[in-house]
Amino acid sequence: MSEKTVPEGHALSGKVGLRRYLSARMLPLVVLLLVLVSASAPLAYAALQARGLREQARATAVQAADAVAREVQERPVLWRYDAGKLLAHLRAYVDNAGAARIEIADRSGVRIPLDTGSITSPAASGPLAWEAAPIVLNEEVVGHAWVAVSLAEARAAALLLLGPFGLLGVGLAGLLYFIPLGAITRAERRIEQSQAALARFNQTLEQQVAERSSQLGEAYEQLRQKEGRLRELSARAVLLQEAERRVIARELHDSAGQALTAIRINLQLMVQLAEPDSKVAKMAARTLTIVDATLEEIRRAVSMLGPAILDDVGLVAAIERLCDDFEREDLEISRELEVPDGGLSAALESVCYRVTQEALTNAARHAGANELRVVLRVEPAHIVLEVRDNGRGFVPGERGEGSGGRGLVGMRERVELLGGNLRIDTAPGAGTAIHVELPRRALSDDGDDSAVVVA
Ligand SMILES: Nc1ncnc2c1ncn2[C@@H]1O[C@H](COP(=O)(O)OP(=O)(O)OP(=O)(O)O)[C@@H](O)[C@H]1O
Ligand SMILES: [Mg+2]
């Protein structure tokens, strides 16, 4: 129960505070209860006894006053000087009525000394309670008879009662003090156990959370690696597709294109050598037309399949030619083009070329611009491509694209496949800028993932 049993700064100091708080609040109540229970019964007993004794004294005073009155009536003058009879009479009251002292006072309250002084019982001791009764003579109050009773016995009895009632008070106060404190102590112990269980549970929970977090971290890391791998694979797919398309385009151009060109020359010769307006000449001319149409188809297919021009003249010259194609009298295209010394991978070249092509096409189709600027710049970690026009601009959609076409979406897909980032800066009336950043580290053509292609 002692507060000293709980160490200072204990984790459950809240509980100690509650117990201390309660015991501090209850202590005055307990002391009050102790005083009330111990003292009230003895005090009440003493008061009752004193009242009884006072009544007794009053009755004795009345009798004594009557006796004095009678004596004074019988001997109006002499009684003061020969009070022996009166004294004997009054002494009988002291002995028989249990009075401690009797005094006679005149009407002004001055004590009348009888011959031997006051009438006192030999047992008169301790505190006295006085009561008076008037001495009436011819309906006139001539003095008072004062009777005192001793309160010593009542006090002793009350003191005797104080013992058992004091014990009772101590018992009740103890119960009042210790029962709630005991209950609080038990409750605190239970709380302490619950808190310990909670702490254990928390610890387990934290461990589980830590385990789950680390599992999640691992899963995330795996996912990130897989995503990186997927991006690499996508880039490789783009690369392979580009290479494949260029091979097909070259094959088309070199084999079918060359053969058709040879056929065309032969047909032209046939037309010249055959009789004019002969059937052969007409058939050769018709075949020549078909060959021309087929050659045109092949040229279109070759240009669709792959920018073979990249293989032929390289990225910078290819972009220069694109710009030349788009330039008109009322559309000036300024350029600032550089590539790293070792060149770029085929995939990076393709993406740069296609993005420039689409951006220039859009500018020519939608912008109504008269100035265009194409920048290809090399930064330590990136290749930066920017196509900016001073045209009418537009309100970009959710991912910055305009609505309807596939051009901008396709551009972004190509860039993101190589791990790059495309940003469109535009607003109505403020022109449009397509800003692309491509990581310089990309797949090499021979498929070595770790190779740094540009340096
Ligand atoms: N440079 C630009 N200036 C003004 N508006 C543009 C510009 N570029 C794109 N836009 C707007 O964004 C829209 C979407 O462009 P996007 O290239 O995706 O499609 P498209 O050019 O309309 O069709 P597609 O490219 O599929 O042939 C365009 O229709 C146009 O309204
Ligand atoms: Mg477009």
Side-chain angles (χ1 to χ4, degrees), residues 232 235-244 246-247 250 310-311 314 342-351 418 440-454:
E232 280 170 11
R236 180 177 299 288
V238 173
L239 177 73
L240 290 176
Q241 192 192 35
E242 269 319 313
E244 200 76 4
R246 283 195 208 176
V247 168
R250 207 175 299 123
L310 288 176
D311 289 340
L344 294 174
S345 71
L348 277 172
E349 277 193 339
S350 289
V351 170
L418 288 190
R440 286 179 65 175
R441 192 178 190 284
L443 293 171
S444 67
D445 293 350
D446 61 10
D448 177 6
D449 292 6
S450 63
V452 177
V453 178
V454 287

Side-chain angles (χ1 to χ4, degrees), residues 243-403:
E244 200 76 4
R245 287 168 72 150
R246 283 195 208 176
V247 168
I248 295 170
R250 207 175 299 123
E251 281 302 310
L252 260 181
H253 181 269
D254 293 353
S255 55
Q258 303 296 351
L260 279 174
T261 308
I263 292 169
R264 189 175 187 279
I265 293 167
N266 287 349
L267 283 172
Q268 277 175 330
L269 276 175
M270 277 176 73
V271 170
Q272 285 166 13
L273 294 177
E275 282 291 313
D277 289 334
S278 66
K279 271 190 169 178
V280 175
K282 283 180 186 165
M283 199 175 289
R286 268 206 309 278
T287 314
L288 193 63
T289 318
I290 295 170
V291 168
D292 279 346
T294 311
L295 267 174
E296 186 51 41
E297 285 291 318
I298 286 177
R299 242 194 306 278
R300 222 185 352 262
V302 165
S303 124
M304 287 280 291
L305 274 171
I309 188 170
L310 288 176
D311 289 340
D312 299 340
V313 297
L315 181 63
V316 170
I319 292 179
E320 286 279 6
R321 280 192 200 177
L322 262 183
C323 293
D324 290 344
D325 289 347
F326 278 95
E327 215 162 23
R328 295 188 308 262
E329 243 179 45
D330 58 347
L331 179 62
E332 190 188 322
I333 305 180
S334 64
R335 311 124 206 220
E336 183 190 317
L337 307 170
E338 61 158 333
V339 284
D341 290 343
L344 294 174
S345 71
L348 277 172
E349 277 193 339
S350 289
V351 170
C352 289
Y353 184 81
R354 297 282 191 199
V355 167
T356 311
Q357 195 176 33
E358 176 60 25
L360 288 176
T361 309
N362 275 353
R365 273 174 67 190
H366 309 297
N370 54 17
E371 272 178 32
L372 259 165
R373 179 163 178 74
V374 181
V375 176
L376 182 66
R377 201 172 55 238
V378 181
E379 287 187 355
H382 293 101
I383 299 294
V384 176
L385 172 67
E386 198 172 83
V387 181
R388 181 183 292 274
D389 68 53
N390 67 344
R392 64 176 62 93
F394 63 103
V395 180
E398 214 169 85
R399 288 193 70 198
E401 281 85 356
S403 55

Side-chain angles (χ1 to χ4, degrees), residues 141-164:
V141 176
V142 295
H144 282 89
W146 283 91
V147 173
V149 283
S150 169
L151 297 178
E153 268 184 37
R155 192 171 69 175
L159 283 175
L160 253 176
L161 281 178
L162 205 57

